[in-house]
Amino acid sequence: MKRAPRTAYVCQQCGHAAPRWLGQCPACESWGTLVEEALPDTRGPAAAPPSVQAPQALASVTASATIRRSTGVGELDRVLGGGLVQGSIVLLGGDPGIGKSTLALQACGALAGQGLPVLYVAGEESPEQVRLRADRLGLGASGVLIVPETTAETIVEHIDRVRPSAVVVDSIQTLRTTALASAPGSVGQVRESASLLVARCKATQTACFLIGHVTKEGSLAGPRVLEHLVDTVLYFEGDGAHTLRVLRAVKNRFGSTNEVGVFEMGERGLAEVTNPSAAFLAERPAGAPGSAVLATLEGSRPVLVEIQALVSRSALAMPRRTPIGLDSGRTALLLAILEKRCHVRLHDQDVFLNVAGGLRIDEPASDLAVIAAVASSARGKALPGDVVLWGEVGLTGEVRSVARADVRVREAARQGFGRCVLPLGNARGLATDERTTLRGVANVAELFEVLELA
């Protein structure tokens, strides 16, 4: 008599399993995310216990040198830590249409151009659709192998047969394993399919790119264990209304997570942006109130961006505070400092802030530029066009030092800016040249004097 399959209710957000249906997941507290899934049958004959390996001294373990290969895409190599490590698993996530498949296909074409076998597993698109994209990118004759497949076991067989140097799976949410009866994209299917691919790629020293979807909250869809299975997690960020894209690492076992890559989406795919500062400031208006230039750090790379502010009289009982690309809580704090310490009237004004170019800035060094942009718009006075600002602002109005002031100064000088307004603590003892003048400020009152906004 055939036994009925065992089932459990699995949360599609965190992977928590419950014996019965619940409206709210007890682990991640998400509502309506528990779905009934069949569990693999493990009630067969017991398997032989694995062989036990005796412990050995760490000093006796031989560590071979890590083999890295260039992907042919310099900005991608930068984020990966210098190149693609053989046998590494890279999870690439991002919003729909942001350019994940385009970036992966360009990397495949560059690797195939080096004479390396590359396998592209198309789970969402047909081979004809992938060929059309490859032709648009100029990769029609690149020698990339493609197979339309969504079964994890079959993909493993293709890897064993082809023995590629790299494999791209587009996307992990479309895969399914025959060991489970649930639908593709469920927590169990994503977890088990990824485990099969990771085990085979590690055993054959095959580098693997897994393309993943993101949820409406901006996190990778599927169980959190997926991020623990892989070696590197990359997020492809950008605004659909802008052509610039930012690639950043949130996990990297073979390199730093402090590097970012900048790309520009064009008709022929993604082009590397080697000078992001010039790209972000290309359309900056001259002599416009509410515009300030910030020297920020994206990883270890200094980047100059424009902070735009618009202050206008509000007709609402509660004026709007709308920051785009900036933290809303920190923005409210800075507006309170402006009103309390600098006597800038904002309690009946709508304040809109924007980081031009679609970049997201989280570091506190942006405080000084935000305050300068808001004050410039409120006073109706444009800031000098050759000024770059950075610095953290405290609740009492003091300006605090930030890290890597030297590289910010060098980037400002390289882009032709003649004056840097920075924290007084950073300005002391900082070497400069005749191209750039440094002006340290101890508080926001001195900032207003330097910029003539009082």
Side-chain angles (χ1 to χ4, degrees):
M1 182 177 177
K2 188 176 180 180
R3 292 175 295 188
R6 296 184 303 152
T7 62
Y9 291 87
V10 182
C11 175
Q12 303 302 297
Q13 292 292 336
C14 67
H16 175 79
R20 61 186 180 86
W21 184 85
L22 300 171
Q24 185 184 33
C25 174
C28 66
E29 299 183 351
S30 299
W31 288 93
T33 57
L34 268 68
V35 176
E36 186 177 16
E37 294 184 4
L39 298 177
D41 191 0
T42 59
R43 294 175 292 183
S51 59
V52 179
Q53 185 176 3
Q56 59 179 323
L58 180 61
S60 65
V61 178
T62 303
S64 58
T66 300
I67 301 176
R68 290 185 184 269
R69 285 194 174 97
S70 172
T71 62
V73 183
E75 294 296 293
L76 178 58
D77 288 343
R78 172 197 291 269
V79 179
L80 290 174
L84 185 62
V85 176
Q86 287 303 111
S88 65
I89 313 298
V90 180
L91 179 60
L92 177 61
D95 294 330
I98 201 68
K100 304 183 297 297
S101 300
T102 300
L103 178 62
L105 190 57
Q106 286 185 221
C108 284
L111 289 170
Q114 302 174 27
L116 302 174
V118 179
L119 179 63
Y120 191 99
V121 180
E124 295 185 346
E125 299 175 304
S126 66
E128 292 77 14
Q129 290 175 304
V130 178
R131 174 59 193 268
L132 290 175
R133 182 187 297 116
D135 289 340
R136 178 171 56 86
L137 301 177
L139 305 173
S142 62
V144 177
L145 301 175
I146 183 171
V147 56
E149 188 56 63
T150 58
T151 304
E153 288 83 359
T154 306
I155 296 173
V156 168
E157 293 178 4
H158 285 300
I159 294 175
D160 290 337
R161 186 180 305 113
V162 177
R163 286 303 177 107
S165 176
V167 59
V168 174
V169 178
D170 186 9
S171 65
I172 186 61
Q173 274 80 16
T174 63
L175 299 193
R176 60 179 299 273
T177 172
T178 56
L180 297 176
S182 53
S186 63
V187 169
Q189 290 286 6
V190 170
R191 180 182 61 245
E192 297 302 323
S193 298
S195 298
L196 280 174
L197 290 174
V198 168
R200 179 55 59 193
C201 289
K202 293 287 186 182
T204 58
Q205 286 296 294
T206 301
C208 180
F209 285 96
L210 302 177
I211 298 179
H213 298 162
V214 297
T215 64
K216 61 183 180 179
E217 290 82 14
S219 59
L220 281 164
R224 299 298 296 183
V225 70
L226 180 60
E227 298 187 25
H228 299 302
L229 284 173
V230 302
D231 300 307
T232 305
V233 179
L234 305 180
Y235 276 92
F236 211 28
E237 303 173 355
D239 188 351
H242 298 87
T243 60
L244 293 179
R245 305 285 190 267
V246 176
L247 180 68
R248 66 177 76 247
V250 297
K251 174 187 177 182
N252 192 354
R253 289 175 178 164
F254 303 107
S256 172
T257 58
N258 293 326
E259 297 294 342
V260 297
V262 182
F263 299 86
E264 184 175 9
M265 177 65 79
E267 294 182 358
R268 295 186 61 83
L270 292 163
E272 299 176 53
V273 179
T274 56
N275 189 357
S277 298
F280 285 118
L281 298 179
E283 300 180 25
R284 179 182 171 228
S291 174
V293 178
L294 164 69
T296 185
L297 286 179
E298 286 294 331
S300 62
R301 170 188 287 184
V303 179
L304 303 187
V305 296
E306 180 189 4
I307 304 294
Q308 296 179 334
L310 176 62
V311 179
S312 63
R313 186 170 181 83
S314 178
L316 304 175
M318 295 184 63
R320 286 173 289 186
R321 306 287 189 255
T322 310
I324 301 175
L326 296 164
D327 181 70
S328 58
R330 194 156 192 90
T331 298
L333 180 148
L334 295 175
L335 297 183
I337 292 173
L338 267 173
E339 184 140 13
K340 180 71 174 180
R341 308 297 177 189
C342 303
H343 308 292
V344 178
R345 182 173 176 175
L346 297 172
H347 66 273
D348 58 352
Q349 306 287 315
D350 289 330
V351 180
F352 304 90
L353 283 161
N354 179 44
V355 181
L359 194 66
R360 173 78 186 180
I361 297 177
D362 295 317
E363 69 162 344
S366 62
D367 293 354
L368 213 60
V370 170
I371 282 183
V374 173
S376 171
S377 179
R379 300 284 198 236
K381 297 180 180 180
L383 300 179
D386 63 340
V387 170
V388 176
L389 307 101
W390 69 87
E392 180 183 357
V393 178
L395 290 179
T396 61
E398 81 280 9
V399 179
R400 298 174 175 266
S401 302
V402 297
R404 307 294 302 279
D406 53 340
V407 298
R408 301 176 200 254
V409 171
R410 286 197 295 268
E411 180 65 14
R414 191 168 72 92
Q415 299 300 328
F417 287 85
R419 288 190 288 172
C420 296
V421 180
L422 67 162
L424 185 61
N426 285 141
R428 292 170 179 165
L430 189 63
T432 184
D433 54 29
E434 64 279 359
R435 295 178 300 171
T436 307
T437 302
L438 304 183
R439 179 61 188 270
V441 293
N443 51 59
V444 290
E446 292 186 15
L447 172 69
F448 272 49
E449 293 179 4
V450 172
L451 300 179
E452 299 179 357
L453 294 173

